[in-house]
Amino acid sequence: MSPAPLRRVGLVLRPGFSQLSLAGVMDSLAAVNALQAEALYRAELLSALGGPVESAAGLQAATRPWAPAEGWHAVLVVAPDATPAEASLAALLRA
């Protein structure tokens, strides 16, 4: 039996994101991987432009630029609230 393909899950961080929200998603993916014989999911921290993004508590998370065409299994936006996304992220979300 061939190994299952690794599914890339993009986590797009917006300034002021909740560390608890981010940890919940990452821990859930880690738990699924731990229950399997092999890793199925890989979480990657992204932002519209790449570089550090600061959480509500002041943690700086290193991100890389999000490119929608990279073949993601899923992309989730981790935001502090429901305010509209900045223009650079909004353009990527529409792509």
Side-chain angles (χ1 to χ4, degrees):
M1 183 174 189
S2 63
L6 186 63
R7 296 172 180 98
R8 296 170 61 215
V9 177
L11 303 174
V12 180
L13 304 183
R14 291 193 55 210
F17 71 91
S18 164
Q19 290 172 229
L20 186 57
S21 296
L22 177 61
V25 173
M26 293 188 77
D27 283 350
S28 296
L29 294 173
V32 169
N33 286 341
L35 293 172
Q36 304 300 314
E38 58 189 320
L40 297 178
Y41 297 96
R42 180 177 73 211
E44 298 182 32
L45 300 182
L46 309 168
S47 63
L49 303 174
V53 177
E54 189 170 319
S55 73
L59 171 90
Q60 294 278 325
T63 67
R64 65 181 195 81
W66 174 33
E70 288 186 9
W72 299 98
H73 177 71
V75 175
L76 307 171
V77 178
V78 185
D81 52 36
T83 57
E86 55 275 8
S88 56
L89 178 56
L92 288 168
L93 291 169
R94 285 190 290 271

